[in-house]
Amino acid sequence: MEPAEGKKSVKVVTDPETGREKKVSYGAKGYRIRPGTPAADRYCARSLGIKKGLTKEQQRDPNTPNNLSRKKWACSGDKSIPD
């Protein structure tokens, strides 16, 4: 499945209640993901601010675009953990 225009990655999520599939596109096309670098720490700090602006339910949902990107960047709080 192709991501939405301008996005780098896609994840297909199945709703356990209805069985319907939903496509979640995330990440900026053209950017390199480099966990454990100063650029990653800056990304994690920015995305933590985005996460704090979401509802508590969305903050815990692992399939939001922000949480999927934070996982790829290896974010833990406002820092990125090196591989």
Side-chain angles (χ1 to χ4, degrees):
M1 213 174 224
E2 289 292 315
E5 185 176 338
K7 296 299 178 181
K8 184 175 189 167
S9 303
V10 66
K11 180 176 182 183
V12 178
V13 181
T14 305
D15 186 338
E17 295 176 11
T18 63
R20 291 185 177 178
E21 290 184 344
K22 181 173 95 172
K23 179 174 86 167
V24 180
S25 296
Y26 62 98
K29 186 181 282 187
Y31 283 82
R32 288 189 354 216
I33 296 175
R34 301 178 309 263
T37 62
D41 289 343
R42 292 190 298 269
Y43 171 78
C44 291
R46 283 194 314 276
S47 65
L48 182 63
I50 293 169
K51 186 171 182 162
K52 287 182 178 180
L54 301 175
T55 65
K56 291 293 180 188
E57 183 178 322
Q58 289 173 325
Q59 288 179 13
R60 289 188 292 267
D61 181 3
N63 296 316
T64 61
N66 189 52
N67 287 338
L68 289 168
S69 290
R70 287 178 57 80
K71 184 175 180 179
K72 278 203 172 187
W73 280 93
C75 293
S76 178
D78 65 348
K79 297 289 183 194
S80 178
I81 309 302
D83 288 339

